[in-house]
Amino acid sequence: MAQVKNYAKELEVLIGELKGRRPGLLLHCCCAPCSSAVLEYLNPHFALYLSYYNPNIAPEAEYQKRLAELRRLLAEMPLNPPPELLPCAYEGEAFQRMAQGLEREPEGGARCAGCYRLRLEEAAKTAAAHGLEYFTTTLSVSPLKNAQVLGRIGQELAQKYGVKHLPADFKKREGYKRSIALSREYGLYRQNYCGCLYSKRPAVPASGARADGEEPRNL
């Protein structure tokens, strides 16, 4: 049985050991709402470079809408110094190839793990290409994303590409709640499905609250 790691604590310790040094970090951003709290937390400690590599998002119009919201957040959020959003093309076919044979997998299963790997591998390669010390993803801020799986994949890719994986479980220490608060503050579009067509299902409008008063989740 795999050991359960406290990635939030590991990151807290790592930041304390930086002692003011701001190493380069490639942060994979899945969307503006998830990125908001993560950017706020990491910006004081790292020189941030952002990658919006999300070939899972469909249709492409949805991909572009989420990208526009991320750009708006970066323009409006008081981040000093401001992170650099690196250019990234839409590669929906990459996700389609990965998902072949996994169409009937449940949410959170092998297809999702493959999607994590697809996006994290691009982040690791981009970090290595830019000579950055670390890479990580905003995905763990969601209560529905498995930080243990993300961490294990990240460590495997760190060895493969020679770039350190930044341990993280951004949902901890009220990270998810902070992302909701910042989404409201900046009026961010909060989608009600992860991005791929398999996760899309009848749900409340992304801009509204559910009947029970709970904010719709940004998956």
Side-chain angles (χ1 to χ4, degrees), residues 75-158:
E76 296 180 9
M77 201 170 182
L79 300 170
N80 186 24
E84 180 179 350
L85 179 60
L86 301 175
C88 181
Y90 178 63
E91 298 181 353
E93 67 282 357
F95 175 79
Q96 294 168 12
R97 288 194 301 269
M98 183 283 300
Q100 285 180 356
L102 302 173
E103 293 87 352
R104 296 187 180 276
E105 281 287 310
E107 286 298 295
R111 186 183 61 249
C112 290
C115 184
Y116 296 167
R117 182 177 293 277
L118 182 65
R119 292 187 276 177
L120 275 169
E121 183 148 19
E122 182 68 18
K125 288 192 291 187
T126 302
H130 285 78
L132 304 178
E133 189 170 343
Y134 292 96
F135 73 99
T136 197
T137 177
T138 62
L139 284 167
S140 70
V141 80
S142 168
L144 300 184
K145 295 296 186 289
N146 191 319
Q148 299 299 309
V149 174
L150 286 164
R152 288 195 293 272
I153 293 172
Q155 286 300 317
E156 293 172 12
L157 295 172

Coordinates of all heavy atoms in Angstrom, one line a residue, residues 75-158:
A75 N -4.0 39.9 -15.2 CA -4.0 41.3 -15.4 C -4.5 42.1 -14.2 O -4.1 43.2 -13.9 CB -4.8 41.7 -16.6
E76 N -5.5 41.5 -13.4 CA -6.1 42.2 -12.3 C -5.6 41.9 -11.0 O -5.7 42.7 -10.0 CB -7.6 41.9 -12.4 CG -8.3 42.4 -13.6 CD -9.8 42.1 -13.7 OE1 -10.4 41.6 -12.6 OE2 -10.4 42.3 -14.7
M77 N -5.0 40.7 -10.8 CA -4.5 40.3 -9.5 C -3.2 41.0 -9.1 O -2.3 41.0 -10.0 CB -4.4 38.8 -9.4 CG -4.4 38.2 -8.1 SD -4.5 36.3 -8.2 CE -4.5 35.9 -6.5
P78 N -3.0 41.5 -7.9 CA -1.8 42.3 -7.6 C -0.6 41.3 -7.3 O -0.3 41.1 -6.1 CB -2.2 43.1 -6.4 CG -3.3 42.3 -5.7 CD -4.0 41.6 -6.9
L79 N -0.1 40.7 -8.3 CA 1.1 39.8 -8.1 C 2.4 40.5 -8.4 O 2.5 41.1 -9.5 CB 0.9 38.6 -9.0 CG -0.4 37.8 -8.8 CD1 -0.6 36.7 -9.9 CD2 -0.4 37.1 -7.4
N80 N 3.3 40.4 -7.5 CA 4.6 41.2 -7.7 C 5.8 40.3 -7.4 O 5.9 39.9 -6.2 CB 4.6 42.4 -6.8 CG 5.8 43.3 -7.0 OD1 6.3 43.3 -8.1 ND2 6.2 44.1 -6.0
P81 N 6.6 40.0 -8.4 CA 6.4 40.4 -9.8 C 5.4 39.6 -10.5 O 5.1 38.5 -10.1 CB 7.8 40.1 -10.4 CG 8.3 39.0 -9.6 CD 7.8 39.2 -8.2
P82 N 4.8 40.1 -11.6 CA 3.7 39.3 -12.3 C 4.3 38.1 -12.9 O 5.4 38.1 -13.5 CB 3.2 40.3 -13.3 CG 4.3 41.3 -13.5 CD 5.0 41.4 -12.2
P83 N 3.6 36.9 -12.9 CA 4.1 35.7 -13.5 C 4.0 35.9 -15.0 O 3.3 36.7 -15.6 CB 3.1 34.7 -13.1 CG 2.4 35.2 -11.9 CD 2.4 36.7 -12.1
E84 N 4.8 35.1 -15.7 CA 4.8 35.1 -17.2 C 4.0 33.9 -17.7 O 4.3 32.7 -17.3 CB 6.2 35.0 -17.7 CG 6.3 35.0 -19.3 CD 7.7 34.9 -19.8 OE1 8.7 35.1 -19.0 OE2 7.9 34.7 -21.0
L85 N 3.0 34.1 -18.5 CA 2.2 33.1 -19.1 C 2.9 32.7 -20.4 O 2.9 33.5 -21.4 CB 0.8 33.6 -19.3 CG -0.2 32.6 -20.0 CD1 -0.3 31.3 -19.1 CD2 -1.5 33.2 -20.2
L86 N 3.4 31.5 -20.4 CA 4.1 31.0 -21.6 C 3.1 30.6 -22.7 O 2.0 30.1 -22.4 CB 5.0 29.8 -21.3 CG 6.0 30.1 -20.2 CD1 6.8 28.8 -19.8 CD2 7.0 31.2 -20.6
P87 N 3.5 30.8 -24.0 CA 2.6 30.4 -25.1 C 2.4 28.9 -25.1 O 3.2 28.1 -24.8 CB 3.4 30.9 -26.3 CG 4.8 31.0 -25.9 CD 4.8 31.4 -24.4
C88 N 1.1 28.5 -25.5 CA 0.8 27.1 -25.5 C -0.4 26.9 -26.5 O -1.4 27.6 -26.4 CB 0.3 26.7 -24.1 SG -0.2 25.0 -23.9
A89 N -0.2 25.9 -27.3 CA -1.3 25.7 -28.3 C -2.3 24.7 -27.8 O -2.0 23.9 -26.9 CB -0.6 25.1 -29.6
Y90 N -3.5 24.7 -28.4 CA -4.5 23.7 -28.0 C -4.2 22.4 -28.8 O -4.1 22.4 -30.0 CB -5.9 24.3 -28.4 CG -7.0 23.3 -28.1 CD1 -7.3 23.0 -26.8 CD2 -7.8 22.8 -29.1 CE1 -8.3 22.1 -26.5 CE2 -8.9 21.9 -28.8 CZ -9.1 21.6 -27.5 OH -10.1 20.7 -27.2
E91 N -4.2 21.3 -28.0 CA -3.8 20.0 -28.6 C -4.9 19.0 -28.1 O -4.5 18.0 -27.5 CB -2.4 19.6 -28.2 CG -1.3 20.5 -28.7 CD 0.1 20.1 -28.3 OE1 0.2 19.1 -27.6 OE2 1.0 20.7 -28.8
G92 N -6.1 19.2 -28.5 CA -7.2 18.3 -28.1 C -7.0 16.9 -28.5 O -7.4 15.9 -27.8
E93 N -6.3 16.7 -29.6 CA -6.1 15.3 -30.1 C -5.1 14.5 -29.2 O -5.2 13.3 -29.1 CB -5.5 15.3 -31.6 CG -4.1 15.9 -31.7 CD -4.0 17.4 -31.6 OE1 -5.0 18.1 -31.6 OE2 -2.9 17.9 -31.7
A94 N -4.3 15.2 -28.5 CA -3.4 14.5 -27.5 C -4.2 13.8 -26.4 O -3.9 12.7 -26.0 CB -2.4 15.5 -26.9
F95 N -5.2 14.5 -25.9 CA -6.1 13.9 -24.9 C -6.9 12.8 -25.5 O -7.1 11.7 -24.9 CB -7.0 15.0 -24.3 CG -8.0 14.4 -23.3 CD1 -7.6 14.1 -22.0 CD2 -9.3 14.1 -23.7 CE1 -8.6 13.5 -21.2 CE2 -10.2 13.6 -22.9 CZ -9.9 13.3 -21.6
Q96 N -7.4 13.0 -26.7 CA -8.2 11.9 -27.3 C -7.4 10.6 -27.5 O -7.9 9.5 -27.3 CB -8.7 12.4 -28.7 CG -9.7 13.6 -28.5 CD -10.0 14.2 -29.9 OE1 -9.7 13.7 -30.9 NE2 -10.7 15.4 -29.8
R97 N -6.1 10.8 -27.9 CA -5.3 9.6 -28.0 C -5.1 8.9 -26.7 O -5.2 7.7 -26.6 CB -3.9 10.0 -28.6 CG -4.0 10.3 -30.1 CD -2.6 10.4 -30.7 NE -1.7 11.3 -30.0 CZ -1.6 12.6 -30.4 NH1 -2.3 13.1 -31.4 NH2 -0.8 13.4 -29.7
M98 N -4.8 9.7 -25.7 CA -4.6 9.1 -24.3 C -5.8 8.4 -23.8 O -5.7 7.4 -23.1 CB -4.2 10.3 -23.4 CG -3.9 9.8 -21.9 SD -5.3 9.5 -20.9 CE -6.2 11.0 -20.9
A99 N -7.0 8.9 -24.1 CA -8.3 8.4 -23.6 C -8.8 7.2 -24.3 O -9.7 6.6 -23.8 CB -9.3 9.5 -23.6
Q100 N -8.2 6.8 -25.4 CA -8.7 5.7 -26.2 C -8.6 4.4 -25.3 O -7.6 4.1 -24.8 CB -7.8 5.5 -27.5 CG -8.2 6.5 -28.5 CD -7.3 6.3 -29.8 OE1 -6.5 5.5 -29.9 NE2 -7.6 7.1 -30.8
G101 N -9.7 3.7 -25.3 CA -9.8 2.5 -24.5 C -10.2 2.8 -23.0 O -10.4 1.8 -22.3
L102 N -10.2 4.0 -22.6 CA -10.5 4.4 -21.2 C -11.8 5.2 -21.1 O -12.1 5.8 -20.1 CB -9.4 5.2 -20.6 CG -8.0 4.6 -20.6 CD1 -7.0 5.6 -20.1 CD2 -8.0 3.4 -19.7
E103 N -12.6 5.1 -22.2 CA -13.8 5.9 -22.3 C -14.8 5.6 -21.2 O -15.6 6.5 -20.7 CB -14.5 5.8 -23.6 CG -13.7 6.3 -24.8 CD -12.7 5.3 -25.4 OE1 -12.5 4.2 -24.8 OE2 -12.1 5.6 -26.4
R104 N -14.9 4.4 -20.7 CA -15.8 3.9 -19.7 C -15.3 4.0 -18.3 O -16.0 3.5 -17.4 CB -16.4 2.5 -20.1 CG -17.1 2.5 -21.4 CD -17.8 1.1 -21.6 NE -18.5 1.1 -22.9 CZ -19.8 1.5 -23.0 NH1 -20.4 2.0 -22.0 NH2 -20.4 1.5 -24.2
E105 N -14.1 4.5 -18.1 CA -13.5 4.6 -16.8 C -14.3 5.6 -16.0 O -14.8 6.6 -16.5 CB -12.1 5.1 -16.9 CG -11.1 4.0 -17.2 CD -10.8 3.0 -16.1 OE1 -10.6 3.5 -14.9 OE2 -10.9 1.8 -16.3
P106 N -14.5 5.3 -14.7 CA -15.2 6.3 -13.8 C -14.3 7.5 -13.6 O -13.1 7.5 -13.7 CB -15.4 5.5 -12.5 CG -14.3 4.6 -12.5 CD -14.0 4.1 -13.9
E107 N -15.0 8.6 -13.2 CA -14.3 9.8 -12.9 C -13.3 9.5 -11.7 O -13.7 8.9 -10.7 CB -15.2 11.0 -12.5 CG -15.9 11.6 -13.7 CD -14.9 12.2 -14.6 OE1 -14.3 13.2 -14.3 OE2 -14.8 11.7 -15.8
G108 N -12.1 10.0 -11.8 CA -11.1 9.7 -10.8 C -10.3 8.4 -11.0 O -9.4 8.1 -10.2
G109 N -10.6 7.7 -12.1 CA -10.0 6.4 -12.4 C -8.8 6.6 -13.3 O -8.1 7.6 -13.3
A110 N -8.5 5.5 -14.1 CA -7.3 5.5 -14.9 C -7.3 6.6 -16.0 O -6.2 7.1 -16.3 CB -7.2 4.1 -15.6
R111 N -8.4 7.0 -16.5 CA -8.4 8.0 -17.5 C -8.0 9.4 -16.9 O -7.2 10.1 -17.5 CB -9.8 8.2 -18.1 CG -9.9 9.2 -19.3 CD -11.3 9.4 -19.9 NE -12.2 9.9 -18.9 CZ -13.2 9.2 -18.4 NH1 -13.4 8.0 -18.7 NH2 -14.0 9.8 -17.5
C112 N -8.4 9.6 -15.7 CA -8.1 10.9 -15.0 C -6.6 10.9 -14.7 O -5.9 11.9 -14.9 CB -8.9 11.1 -13.8 SG -10.6 11.5 -14.1
A113 N -6.1 9.7 -14.3 CA -4.6 9.6 -14.0 C -3.8 9.8 -15.2 O -2.8 10.5 -15.2 CB -4.3 8.2 -13.4
G114 N -4.3 9.3 -16.4 CA -3.6 9.6 -17.6 C -3.6 11.0 -18.0 O -2.7 11.6 -18.6
C115 N -4.7 11.7 -17.7 CA -4.9 13.1 -18.0 C -3.9 13.9 -17.1 O -3.3 14.9 -17.6 CB -6.3 13.6 -17.8 SG -6.6 15.3 -18.2
Y116 N -3.8 13.5 -15.8 CA -2.8 14.2 -15.0 C -1.4 14.1 -15.6 O -0.7 15.1 -15.6 CB -2.8 13.5 -13.6 CG -4.0 13.6 -12.7 CD1 -4.1 12.8 -11.6 CD2 -5.1 14.4 -13.0 CE1 -5.2 12.8 -10.8 CE2 -6.2 14.4 -12.2 CZ -6.3 13.6 -11.1 OH -7.4 13.6 -10.3
R117 N -1.1 12.9 -16.0 CA 0.3 12.6 -16.5 C 0.5 13.4 -17.8 O 1.6 14.0 -17.9 CB 0.5 11.1 -16.8 CG 1.9 10.8 -17.2 CD 2.0 9.3 -17.4 NE 2.0 8.6 -16.1 CZ 3.0 8.4 -15.3 NH1 4.2 9.0 -15.6 NH2 2.9 7.8 -14.2
L118 N -0.5 13.5 -18.6 CA -0.3 14.2 -19.9 C 0.0 15.7 -19.6 O 1.0 16.2 -20.2 CB -1.6 14.1 -20.7 CG -1.7 14.8 -22.0 CD1 -0.8 14.1 -23.0 CD2 -3.1 14.7 -22.6
R119 N -0.7 16.3 -18.7 CA -0.5 17.7 -18.4 C 0.8 18.0 -17.6 O 1.6 18.9 -17.8 CB -1.7 18.3 -17.8 CG -2.9 18.3 -18.7 CD -4.1 19.1 -18.1 NE -4.9 18.2 -17.3 CZ -5.9 18.6 -16.6 NH1 -6.3 19.9 -16.7 NH2 -6.7 17.8 -15.9
L120 N 1.1 17.1 -16.6 CA 2.3 17.2 -15.8 C 3.5 17.0 -16.6 O 4.6 17.6 -16.4 CB 2.2 16.3 -14.6 CG 1.4 16.8 -13.4 CD1 1.2 15.7 -12.4 CD2 2.2 18.0 -12.7
E121 N 3.5 16.1 -17.6 CA 4.6 15.8 -18.4 C 5.0 17.0 -19.3 O 6.2 17.4 -19.4 CB 4.4 14.6 -19.3 CG 5.7 14.2 -20.1 CD 5.8 12.7 -20.4 OE1 4.8 12.0 -20.3 OE2 7.0 12.3 -20.7
E122 N 4.0 17.7 -19.8 CA 4.2 18.9 -20.5 C 4.9 20.0 -19.6 O 5.8 20.7 -20.0 CB 3.0 19.4 -21.2 CG 3.1 20.7 -22.0 CD 3.9 20.4 -23.3 OE1 4.1 19.3 -23.7 OE2 4.4 21.4 -23.9
A123 N 4.4 20.0 -18.4 CA 4.9 21.0 -17.4 C 6.4 20.7 -17.1 O 7.2 21.6 -17.1 CB 4.1 21.0 -16.1
A124 N 6.7 19.4 -16.9 CA 8.1 19.0 -16.6 C 9.0 19.4 -17.8 O 10.1 19.9 -17.6 CB 8.1 17.6 -16.3
K125 N 8.5 19.0 -19.0 CA 9.3 19.3 -20.2 C 9.6 20.8 -20.4 O 10.7 21.3 -20.7 CB 8.7 18.7 -21.5 CG 8.7 17.2 -21.5 CD 8.3 16.7 -22.9 CE 6.8 16.9 -23.2 NZ 6.4 16.3 -24.4
T126 N 8.5 21.6 -20.2 CA 8.6 23.1 -20.3 C 9.6 23.6 -19.3 O 10.4 24.5 -19.6 CB 7.2 23.7 -20.2 OG1 6.4 23.1 -21.2 CG2 7.3 25.2 -20.4
A127 N 9.5 23.1 -18.0 CA 10.4 23.6 -17.0 C 11.8 23.3 -17.3 O 12.7 24.2 -17.2 CB 10.0 22.9 -15.7
A128 N 12.1 22.1 -17.8 CA 13.4 21.7 -18.2 C 13.9 22.6 -19.4 O 15.1 23.1 -19.4 CB 13.5 20.3 -18.6
A129 N 13.1 22.9 -20.4 CA 13.4 23.7 -21.5 C 13.8 25.1 -21.1 O 14.6 25.7 -21.8 CB 12.3 23.7 -22.5
H130 N 13.1 25.6 -20.1 CA 13.4 27.0 -19.6 C 14.4 27.1 -18.5 O 14.6 28.2 -17.9 CB 12.1 27.7 -19.2 CG 11.2 28.0 -20.4 ND1 10.4 27.1 -21.1 CD2 11.0 29.2 -21.0 CE1 9.8 27.7 -22.0 NE2 10.1 29.0 -22.0
G131 N 15.0 26.0 -18.1 CA 16.0 26.0 -17.1 C 15.5 26.3 -15.7 O 16.2 26.9 -14.9
L132 N 14.2 25.9 -15.4 CA 13.6 26.2 -14.1 C 13.9 25.1 -13.2 O 14.1 23.9 -13.5 CB 12.1 26.4 -14.3 CG 11.7 27.5 -15.3 CD1 10.2 27.6 -15.5 CD2 12.3 28.9 -14.9
E133 N 13.8 25.4 -11.9 CA 14.2 24.5 -10.9 C 13.0 23.5 -10.5 O 13.3 22.3 -10.2 CB 14.6 25.2 -9.6 CG 15.3 24.3 -8.5 CD 15.9 25.1 -7.4 OE1 16.2 26.3 -7.6 OE2 16.2 24.5 -6.3
Y134 N 11.8 24.0 -10.6 CA 10.7 23.2 -10.1 C 9.5 23.3 -11.1 O 9.4 24.2 -12.0 CB 10.1 23.8 -8.8 CG 11.0 23.7 -7.6 CD1 11.8 24.7 -7.2 CD2 10.9 22.5 -6.8 CE1 12.6 24.6 -6.1 CE2 11.7 22.4 -5.7 CZ 12.6 23.4 -5.3 OH 13.4 23.3 -4.2
F135 N 8.6 22.3 -11.0 CA 7.3 22.3 -11.7 C 6.3 21.7 -10.8 O 6.6 20.9 -9.9 CB 7.4 21.5 -13.0 CG 7.4 20.0 -12.8 CD1 6.2 19.3 -13.0 CD2 8.6 19.3 -12.6 CE1 6.2 17.9 -12.8 CE2 8.6 18.0 -12.4 CZ 7.4 17.2 -12.5
T136 N 5.1 22.2 -11.0 CA 3.9 21.6 -10.2 C 2.6 22.1 -10.9 O 2.7 22.7 -12.0 CB 3.9 22.1 -8.7 OG1 3.0 21.2 -8.0 CG2 3.5 23.5 -8.6
T137 N 1.5 21.7 -10.4 CA 0.2 22.0 -11.0 C -0.8 22.6 -10.0 O -0.7 22.2 -8.8 CB -0.4 20.8 -11.7 OG1 -1.7 21.1 -12.2 CG2 -0.6 19.6 -10.7
T138 N -1.7 23.3 -10.4 CA -2.8 23.9 -9.6 C -3.9 22.8 -9.3 O -4.8 23.0 -8.5 CB -3.5 25.1 -10.2 OG1 -4.1 24.7 -11.5 CG2 -2.5 26.2 -10.5
L139 N -3.9 21.7 -10.0 CA -4.9 20.7 -9.9 C -5.3 20.3 -8.5 O -6.5 20.0 -8.2 CB -4.6 19.5 -10.8 CG -4.7 19.6 -12.3 CD1 -4.0 18.5 -13.0 CD2 -6.1 19.7 -12.7
S140 N -4.3 20.2 -7.6 CA -4.6 19.6 -6.3 C -5.5 20.6 -5.4 O -5.8 20.2 -4.3 CB -3.3 19.3 -5.6 OG -2.6 20.5 -5.2
V141 N -5.8 21.8 -5.9 CA -6.6 22.7 -5.1 C -8.1 22.2 -5.1 O -8.8 22.5 -4.2 CB -6.5 24.1 -5.6 CG1 -7.4 24.3 -6.8 CG2 -6.9 25.1 -4.5
S142 N -8.4 21.4 -6.1 CA -9.8 20.8 -6.2 C -10.0 19.7 -5.2 O -9.1 18.8 -5.1 CB -10.1 20.4 -7.6 OG -11.3 19.6 -7.6
P143 N -11.1 19.7 -4.5 CA -11.4 18.5 -3.6 C -11.6 17.2 -4.4 O -11.5 16.1 -3.8 CB -12.7 18.9 -2.9 CG -12.8 20.4 -3.0 CD -12.1 20.7 -4.3
L144 N -11.8 17.3 -5.7 CA -12.0 16.1 -6.5 C -10.8 15.6 -7.2 O -10.8 14.7 -8.0 CB -13.1 16.3 -7.5 CG -14.5 16.7 -6.9 CD1 -15.5 16.8 -8.0 CD2 -14.9 15.7 -5.8
K145 N -9.6 16.2 -6.9 CA -8.4 15.8 -7.6 C -7.5 15.2 -6.5 O -7.3 15.7 -5.4 CB -7.7 17.0 -8.2 CG -8.4 17.6 -9.4 CD -8.5 16.6 -10.5 CE -9.2 17.3 -11.8 NZ -10.6 17.5 -11.6
N146 N -6.9 14.0 -6.9 CA -6.2 13.2 -5.9 C -4.7 13.7 -5.8 O -3.9 13.4 -6.7 CB -6.2 11.7 -6.4 CG -5.7 10.8 -5.3 OD1 -4.7 11.0 -4.7 ND2 -6.4 9.7 -5.2
A147 N -4.4 14.3 -4.7 CA -3.0 14.9 -4.6 C -2.0 13.8 -4.5 O -0.8 14.0 -4.9 CB -3.0 15.8 -3.3
Q148 N -2.4 12.6 -4.0 CA -1.4 11.5 -3.8 C -1.0 11.0 -5.2 O 0.2 10.8 -5.5 CB -2.0 10.4 -3.0 CG -2.3 10.8 -1.6 CD -1.1 11.3 -0.8 OE1 -0.1 10.6 -0.7 NE2 -1.2 12.4 -0.2
V149 N -2.0 10.9 -6.1 CA -1.7 10.4 -7.5 C -0.9 11.5 -8.2 O 0.1 11.2 -8.9 CB -3.0 10.1 -8.2 CG1 -2.7 9.8 -9.7 CG2 -3.7 9.0 -7.6
L150 N -1.3 12.7 -8.1 CA -0.5 13.8 -8.7 C 0.9 13.9 -8.2 O 1.8 14.0 -9.0 CB -1.2 15.2 -8.4 CG -2.5 15.5 -9.1 CD1 -3.3 16.6 -8.4 CD2 -2.2 15.8 -10.6
G151 N 1.1 13.7 -6.9 CA 2.5 13.7 -6.3 C 3.3 12.5 -6.9 O 4.5 12.7 -7.2
R152 N 2.7 11.3 -6.9 CA 3.5 10.2 -7.4 C 3.9 10.4 -8.9 O 5.1 10.1 -9.3 CB 2.7 8.9 -7.3 CG 2.6 8.5 -5.8 CD 2.1 7.0 -5.7 NE 0.8 6.8 -6.2 CZ -0.3 7.0 -5.4 NH1 -0.2 7.3 -4.2 NH2 -1.5 6.8 -5.9
I153 N 3.0 10.9 -9.7 CA 3.3 11.1 -11.1 C 4.4 12.2 -11.2 O 5.3 12.1 -12.0 CB 2.0 11.5 -11.9 CG1 1.1 10.4 -12.0 CG2 2.4 12.0 -13.3 CD1 -0.3 10.7 -12.5
G154 N 4.2 13.3 -10.4 CA 5.2 14.4 -10.4 C 6.6 13.9 -10.1 O 7.6 14.3 -10.8
Q155 N 6.7 13.0 -9.1 CA 8.0 12.5 -8.8 C 8.6 11.6 -9.9 O 9.9 11.7 -10.1 CB 7.9 11.7 -7.5 CG 7.8 12.6 -6.2 CD 8.9 13.5 -6.0 OE1 10.1 13.2 -6.2 NE2 8.5 14.8 -5.7
E156 N 7.8 10.8 -10.5 CA 8.3 10.0 -11.7 C 8.8 10.9 -12.8 O 9.9 10.7 -13.4 CB 7.2 9.1 -12.2 CG 6.7 8.1 -11.2 CD 5.5 7.3 -11.7 OE1 5.1 7.5 -12.9 OE2 4.9 6.6 -10.9
L157 N 8.1 12.0 -13.1 CA 8.5 12.9 -14.2 C 9.7 13.7 -13.8 O 10.5 14.1 -14.6 CB 7.3 13.8 -14.6 CG 6.1 13.0 -15.2 CD1 4.9 14.0 -15.3 CD2 6.5 12.4 -16.5
A158 N 9.8 14.0 -12.5 CA 11.0 14.8 -12.0 C 12.3 14.0 -12.3 O 13.3 14.5 -12.8 CB 10.9 15.0 -10.5

